[in-house]
Amino acid sequence: MSNTTPTKTTQDKTPQAMPTPTTLRVQGMDCGGCERKVEAALTRLNHVDEVSASSVAGSVRLTALPGKTLPHSEIESTITALGYQVIDESADTAEATTHTPWWKTPKGRLVLVSGVLLTLAWALKFAWPSLGTWPFVAATVVGLVPIVQRAGQALKMGNPFTIEMLMSIAAIGALVINAAAEAAVVVFLFAVGEMLEGVAAAQARRSISALSKLTPSTARLMEQGYIRDVAAASLQPGQRVQVRPGDRLPCDGLIIAGRSSIDEAPVNGESVPSERGEGESVFAGTVNLDGVLEVEVTRSAENNTIARVIKLVEEAQAAKAPVARFIDRFAFYYMPAVVGVALLVAIVPPLVSPMLWSESIYRALALLLIACPCALVISTPAAIAAGLSVGARHGLLMKGGAVLEQLGKLKRVALDKTGTLTAGTPTVTDVESFEADGSVDKNRRDEIVRLAAALEQGSSHPLAVAISDYFHWQQDAPLPTVQGAHALAGHGVAGRVDGRELMLVSPRYLQRFNRPTSDGDKRIAALEAQGKSVAVLIETEVESERPLGLIALRDEPREDAREGIQALEHLGVQAVMLSGDNARTVAAIGEQLGIEAEGELMPEDKARRVRQWQGQGLGPIGKVGDGINDAPALAAAEVGIAMGSGTDVALETADAALLKNRVVGIAEMIALSRATMRNVKTNVALALGFKALFLVSTVLGITGMWVAVMADTGATVLVTLNALHLLRYRFNDV
């Protein structure tokens, strides 16, 4: 399409007018050349603004011009005219096309037919030499027919410079100059190369389609006291299902009754089962191990965790990385250039030297074959697809090849505190008792916790819940009854436990009493300096109050927080904490983790800090968070990473997500990105190296047609195998 076409401009687009993209499933499109043919043909249609084809995802994404409607029937007929097939989104159809054996595909059948005919031609050559080259001519023509058809279809759509066109010219030219045997070998090897590209693309698609099998097809719906089996896809929010031990969860939901260990490895790759009970969330596709659960559905089937993961990964595979877009642009100009050079090789030598025309034409045809960019085109998307698939299997979701590529370039990562570096809920860190003389005694901690938990029972305050949970974890005993429980506005709670009048209050409450400073006061000050919240247990007697002990709580770092930061440092990435929490707490957590920390930041402050770093040239910046307040900074950073337990706003704004909620996952993403880009560079080097070597040898007449195609096919095989090797990537070294 001409760059001067006025109807294709998008400069007048506004966010409000942006049309919704349409995605179509396309069967048979499994190489870079296929992508370019489809994009070139569809871009020429009226009302079509942008087109992005992905052979890896097997999809075409189209956007209409503002205010226009996509011509769906014309789009489908155009794709069909190119030799591909638009298929529906049903699970049965998608699974059938994804799992078709290679020998049942059109390209697979072409390999088998060409192989049989080539073998037969060689057999006839030795058995009946008098037949001459006719068996090879027949083998060439039969194998060349579908290739010529695809070249013709692309030509009619205005795209003459295709791999099929180069192959057709070379093969037909070989027949004309009486090189039929080589022409037949060329057609067969080309078919093998195309088949291998299809196998690589199908392998990538299978890794994603396997996710859809994680959700069971049926669910045990609980309705009006009865349980009946229904299709899992029909579940709606608010319904309740029963999940037996050993069953996969059919939905995202909330546990209403029961407690069990949940194997979450199918969703986030975590090998250790998690204990889940009433009020806690569970995800579709995970496995209930040892208890009967009653679960309330919170998301419909099309919006559950598995469906969202599949959608994110498919969109990610369809989104091309900058290096992939560069390869596409390179191939766009490379193909016409190769044709031009081949014409010069065919015409010039006989005019300026004694070389025969048959010899120069032969070299030109061989040049066309070796110049086919099959290996180069597949080198990048195959590796990117493998990297995205590996990440998805390990709970590392990246929304596109661009994100995967950018992750490896990060030099600084800003992390939120609450819910990212920390668990997001306070836990008890210290329990100490006071003797009458103010000294500290650590032998009566259990009694302090028991009395404090009794006062706090029934409260939903996070500190109260933390104290109660700590009691149940430490002591296997019932809580004593509290009488006359009441709140002390702004200070704590009070009540009678075991006949004793007690209060659980903040240290500020003690300031109203005129008493000398004790070791206990110094201890409280030291704990608060560490960013901890302190609750003091007091027994009230006639006209006096006696401190019994204290409980300190803090939102503690995740178990792997320090490990994750060290892993980032090992990769040469600086970690910085940005938090909206009070500066003292943030400083204490930062000191504990050994990183730079800044607190009391509003959401816009975090985004401003990211932009400041970018302006200072500190390299690409990553931002990790889990809440709504992190969304502006996630959007401002080159790469925004959301914790999987975060809000939907954070997950939608971010470029990547950590389903495992593990800090070390950030380093794993970066390491995977770097491994993928190393794979891409190796693939490009292999493809270009083979071409450079054999282009020279072909022009000099050292190698012929079949060697040229074998070299190109060999390069395709090598880059494909190298990309698939990435599927076995391990994170052990991170």
Side-chain angles (χ1 to χ4, degrees):
M1 184 186 69
S2 171
N3 292 331
T4 60
T5 305
T7 58
K8 297 296 184 179
T9 181
T10 58
Q11 293 177 352
D12 58 343
K13 283 186 182 179
T14 61
Q16 293 81 4
M18 284 292 287
T20 302
T22 297
T23 301
L24 302 176
R25 297 284 183 189
V26 179
Q27 183 180 4
M29 185 182 65
D30 47 25
C31 67
C34 300
E35 294 176 356
R36 290 193 301 279
K37 282 190 291 185
V38 171
E39 289 174 351
L42 294 181
T43 304
R44 288 175 167 79
L45 299 181
N46 292 328
H47 300 172
V48 175
D49 185 13
E50 297 177 355
V51 180
S52 177
S54 171
S55 59
V56 174
S59 65
V60 177
R61 185 180 176 92
L62 305 100
T63 304
L65 287 166
K68 303 296 183 180
T69 303
L70 288 174
H72 288 279
S73 59
E74 192 176 357
I75 289 170
E76 187 167 342
S77 62
T78 300
I79 292 174
T80 303
L82 288 172
Y84 309 115
Q85 180 183 357
V86 178
I87 58 177
D88 60 46
E89 293 280 357
S90 71
D92 291 342
T93 303
E95 182 174 348
T97 56
T98 301
H99 292 83
T100 302
W102 68 267
W103 59 86
K104 291 185 178 180
T105 65
K107 292 183 179 180
R109 288 195 294 268
L110 180 60
V111 168
L112 295 176
V113 171
S114 297
V116 169
L117 290 176
L118 182 60
T119 302
L120 183 60
W122 282 108
L124 291 173
K125 175 182 174 62
F126 290 110
W128 292 283
S130 59
L131 290 175
T133 61
W134 285 109
F136 292 104
V137 172
T140 302
V141 171
V142 172
L144 194 59
V145 167
I147 299 174
V148 172
Q149 287 177 338
R150 295 204 300 272
Q153 290 162 347
L155 181 62
K156 285 192 293 185
M157 296 296 173
N159 187 16
F161 298 108
T162 62
I163 294 171
E164 289 84 0
M165 183 62 74
L166 296 185
M167 183 58 56
S168 299
I169 294 172
I172 293 173
L175 292 178
V176 171
I177 63 174
N178 202 30
E182 289 183 282
V185 173
V186 161
V187 170
F188 171 70
L189 291 176
F190 178 75
V192 171
E194 286 220 311
M195 182 268 294
L196 288 173
E197 287 183 327
V199 170
Q203 176 72 17
R205 286 195 289 269
R206 275 197 294 272
S207 66
I208 301 306
S209 66
L211 291 172
S212 62
K213 295 182 178 180
L214 294 177
T215 305
S217 58
T218 61
R220 293 172 58 81
L221 180 65
M222 304 178 68
E223 213 170 38
Q224 298 178 348
Y226 295 95
I227 297 177
R228 61 187 180 92
D229 288 341
V230 299
S234 68
L235 295 176
Q236 295 298 322
Q239 293 181 320
R240 295 189 178 187
V241 296
Q242 183 190 73
V243 186
R244 297 169 298 188
D247 288 351
R248 287 188 183 274
L249 274 85
C251 61
D252 283 5
L254 200 67
I255 297 177
I256 303 301
R259 189 170 191 84
S260 180
S261 294
I262 305 294
D263 179 8
E264 297 180 340
V267 173
N268 60 22
E270 186 59 64
S271 59
V272 179
S274 302
E275 194 74 18
R276 295 284 185 265
E278 292 183 20
E280 294 187 279
S281 298
V282 287
F283 306 114
T286 56
V287 182
N288 177 25
L289 296 179
D290 50 27
V292 178
L293 298 177
E294 182 179 335
V295 177
E296 180 178 325
V297 181
T298 55
R299 286 195 181 101
S300 58
E302 61 270 19
N303 293 316
N304 66 30
T305 298
I306 297 297
R308 294 167 77 190
V309 168
I310 292 173
K311 181 180 178 182
L312 285 174
V313 176
E314 286 183 339
E315 289 178 350
Q317 290 189 337
K320 295 181 180 179
V323 66
R325 291 196 296 269
F326 171 77
I327 294 295
D328 282 349
R329 289 195 301 271
F330 174 79
F332 179 79
Y333 295 105
Y334 170 82
M335 298 280 276
V338 164
V339 174
V341 172
L343 284 173
L344 292 176
V345 170
I347 297 172
V348 174
L351 298 178
V352 299
S353 71
M355 182 182 292
L356 297 175
W357 283 97
S358 59
E359 178 65 19
S360 65
I361 292 173
Y362 180 89
R363 292 187 184 185
L365 295 176
L367 178 64
L368 285 180
L369 295 178
I370 187 59
C372 285
C374 300
L376 182 61
V377 169
I378 198 175
S379 62
T380 299
I384 294 291
L388 292 170
S389 299
V390 169
R393 288 206 310 269
H394 289 82
L396 310 174
L397 290 184
M398 291 155 281
K399 301 179 182 178
V403 176
L404 180 60
E405 182 176 344
Q406 189 76 305
L407 274 163
K409 301 176 183 178
L410 294 182
K411 299 298 182 184
R412 173 174 291 205
V413 174
L415 301 102
D416 184 39
K417 180 184 76 71
T418 307
T420 299
L421 285 172
T422 66
T425 56
T427 57
V428 174
T429 60
D430 304 86
V431 179
E432 299 176 1
S433 64
F434 300 150
E435 289 302 302
D437 60 0
S439 62
V440 179
D441 177 17
K442 296 184 178 181
N443 296 323
R444 296 173 56 209
R445 292 177 177 175
D446 289 351
E447 180 67 6
I448 299 298
V449 173
R450 189 179 76 89
L451 296 175
L455 288 173
E456 294 282 24
Q457 61 184 301
S459 173
S460 59
H461 190 281
L463 296 183
V465 172
I467 292 173
S468 178
D469 289 345
Y470 186 77
F471 166 78
H472 290 297
W473 177 58
Q474 289 282 335
Q475 305 179 39
D476 185 17
L479 278 173
T481 303
V482 60
Q483 297 175 328
H486 59 282
L488 301 172
H491 293 292
V493 294
R496 186 182 304 107
V497 181
D498 294 342
R500 305 164 68 180
E501 294 291 340
L502 301 170
M503 293 188 297
L504 188 65
V505 296
S506 70
R508 307 288 84 77
Y509 188 81
L510 299 178
Q511 295 175 356
R512 66 176 59 195
F513 306 124
N514 186 14
R515 61 187 183 82
T517 302
S518 65
D519 290 341
D521 294 319
K522 295 177 182 177
R523 181 59 180 155
I524 290 173
L527 290 170
E528 289 187 326
Q530 297 173 19
K532 298 178 180 179
S533 299
V534 178
V536 182
L537 183 66
I538 299 174
E539 183 174 7
T540 59
E541 299 173 344
V542 179
E543 297 183 355
S544 67
E545 288 82 12
R546 180 168 69 92
L548 299 178
L550 65 80
I551 298 177
L553 307 94
R554 187 172 66 182
D555 183 12
E556 288 291 271
R558 295 181 184 272
E559 292 182 1
D560 74 323
R562 183 59 184 158
E563 178 188 356
I565 291 171
Q566 289 175 340
L568 287 172
E569 293 173 349
H570 178 70
L571 294 171
V573 180
Q574 182 185 7
V576 180
M577 187 197 307
L578 300 180
S579 175
D581 207 344
N582 72 79
R584 184 173 60 187
T585 300
V586 172
I589 296 293
E591 183 179 356
Q592 183 177 350
L593 295 176
I595 63 171
E596 179 185 337
E598 188 173 352
E600 300 181 2
L601 296 175
M602 298 297 290
E604 58 270 23
D605 296 328
K606 297 179 182 179
R608 188 181 304 114
R609 191 71 75 249
V610 169
R611 286 191 288 268
Q612 285 176 351
W613 293 335
Q614 292 167 334
Q616 294 168 5
L618 297 179
I621 307 297
K623 175 67 177 75
V624 187
D626 74 321
I628 293 175
N629 62 338
D630 294 305
L634 289 171
E638 276 83 359
V639 179
I641 304 172
M643 301 300 283
S645 60
T647 63
D648 286 342
V649 173
L651 290 171
E652 291 297 328
T653 306
D655 303 299
L658 301 170
L659 292 187
K660 289 185 180 181
N661 291 317
R662 294 169 62 241
V663 180
V664 76
I666 306 166
E668 290 177 345
M669 274 187 175
I670 295 173
L672 176 60
S673 167
R674 294 179 180 179
T676 302
M677 298 318 297
R678 284 195 300 270
N679 191 288
V680 167
K681 292 173 182 176
T682 301
N683 282 350
V684 172
L686 284 172
L688 292 179
F690 266 73
K691 289 193 181 304
L693 175 63
F694 286 96
L695 276 173
V696 173
S697 64
T698 300
V699 171
L700 295 177
I702 299 173
T703 54
M705 277 190 181
W706 70 270
V707 174
V709 177
M710 183 172 289
D712 187 64
T713 302
T716 301
V717 172
L718 283 178
V719 299
T720 301
L721 292 177
N722 190 42
L724 293 179
H725 177 72
L726 195 60
L727 291 172
R728 295 192 292 274
Y729 178 81
R730 296 291 180 266
F731 296 93
N732 301 336
D733 297 332
V734 178

